[in-house]
Amino acid sequence: MSADPTARILVVDDDPGIREVLCDYLSQHGYQTFGVGSAAEMDQALAATPPDVIVLDLMMPGEDGLSVVRRLSGKGPPIVMLSAMGEDTDRIVGLELGADDYLAKPCNPRELLARIRAVLRRPREAEERDTPSLCFAGWRLDLLRRELTRPDGAATPLSAGEFALLRAFAERPSRVLTRDQLLERARGGDSDVFDRAMDVQISRLRKKLDDGSGHELIVTLRGEGYMFDAKVERR
């Protein structure tokens, strides 16, 4: 599979050896890849040349990866987080804060490449202007701006993964969607996403969709999957 020559990947890792290996590998597969060693250098790179995906190390001197994810969630490009083997709690926290995917270090560059491709392949129909918004239960999901507005008019930030998942639900209301169908539509067909990662994404999205009315928009159907319980209008 050839890469989009316009796609830019920013690798943020304080280990120069790992950074060089990943940058070289991704560059060989056609991506415009550049690396930095700290969150401060990342901020400079974001201001100069915004990337399409950030590959972010969890443990770094100064501001760590979890703090970066919290700060950029819903406001920056998709983030694929790298964490040391065995740090399951930190990886789950990273997903809850807004990371779009994670890999344990040391990671196989081929697997990282597959995850990045899956993130870049996520539906970009938001660019289409014929149906700019999906409206449900007082909420409005702007597909062009990739923004979610609450019934009270307040904006609710979404990570790239949350946006893709909510769109998958809202475009198929009152239909049972299995976990595999959601993974296919929201994360890409060959994305090797752990079940727990999907659980975290849905739990996080439910919290953001809680407007205090008591109406749960994402319903769990045990043994079957999930259903979006709302009437959806395209505007």
Side-chain angles (χ1 to χ4, degrees):
M1 176 180 178
S2 60
D4 178 353
T6 66
R8 296 179 295 275
I9 312 298
L10 174 61
V11 178
V12 186
D13 197 307
D14 65 305
D15 187 320
I18 293 177
R19 197 165 65 239
E20 182 178 358
V21 168
L22 295 182
C23 285
D24 287 348
Y25 185 83
L26 295 173
S27 296
Q28 290 170 12
H29 285 79
Y31 293 106
Q32 299 179 37
T33 309
F34 45 108
V36 296
S38 68
E41 293 178 358
M42 178 202 71
D43 288 338
Q44 295 176 1
L46 288 175
T49 311
D52 295 289
V53 177
I54 297 175
V55 177
L56 177 67
D57 184 28
L58 175 65
M59 300 299 296
M60 295 186 298
E63 185 179 11
D64 64 22
L66 291 180
S67 176
V68 170
V69 170
R70 183 186 296 109
R71 177 160 59 87
L72 295 183
S73 179
K75 297 177 290 186
I79 295 175
V80 177
M81 190 171 66
L82 302 181
S83 62
M85 186 72 72
E87 294 179 341
D88 291 334
T89 300
D90 286 335
R91 281 180 273 162
I92 295 303
V93 170
L95 288 168
E96 291 175 337
L97 290 176
D100 296 274
D101 207 343
Y102 69 77
L103 276 173
K105 294 174 67 176
C107 68
N108 185 324
R110 290 182 61 187
E111 185 175 6
L112 175 61
L113 177 64
R115 300 295 182 95
I116 290 173
R117 283 175 170 169
V119 168
L120 290 172
R121 254 199 328 272
R122 286 176 183 165
R124 295 297 178 183
E125 294 90 347
E127 309 274 324
E128 299 175 359
R129 299 177 181 270
D130 56 339
T131 307
S133 298
L134 298 175
C135 300
F136 49 88
W139 296 80
R140 181 184 181 93
L141 181 64
D142 189 316
L143 303 182
L144 183 62
R145 298 178 181 275
R146 305 173 74 85
E147 294 177 348
L148 177 65
T149 304
R150 296 172 56 87
D152 61 9
T156 299
L158 296 174
S159 69
E162 290 166 350
F163 173 83
L165 186 59
L166 179 55
R167 178 169 186 160
F169 275 122
E171 289 188 328
R172 299 157 190 83
S174 302
R175 290 173 53 183
V176 178
L177 297 174
T178 67
R179 185 183 300 271
D180 288 343
Q181 287 173 326
L182 287 170
L183 290 174
E184 169 72 24
R185 297 183 183 280
R187 302 187 75 94
D190 64 354
S191 180
D192 180 20
V193 182
F194 296 93
D195 284 352
R196 177 57 178 161
M198 175 59 74
D199 293 339
V200 170
Q201 290 271 22
I202 290 177
S203 175
R204 194 172 65 208
L205 189 55
R206 276 176 168 152
K207 290 179 181 178
K208 291 191 174 183
L209 290 171
D210 183 1
D211 61 1
S213 67
H215 180 201
E216 190 170 278
L217 292 171
I218 301 174
V219 178
T220 301
L221 302 175
R222 295 191 179 279
E224 297 183 63
Y226 302 91
M227 184 179 71
F228 195 67
D229 185 20
K231 180 181 179 180
V232 179
E233 297 182 359
R234 297 175 178 269
R235 298 178 184 172

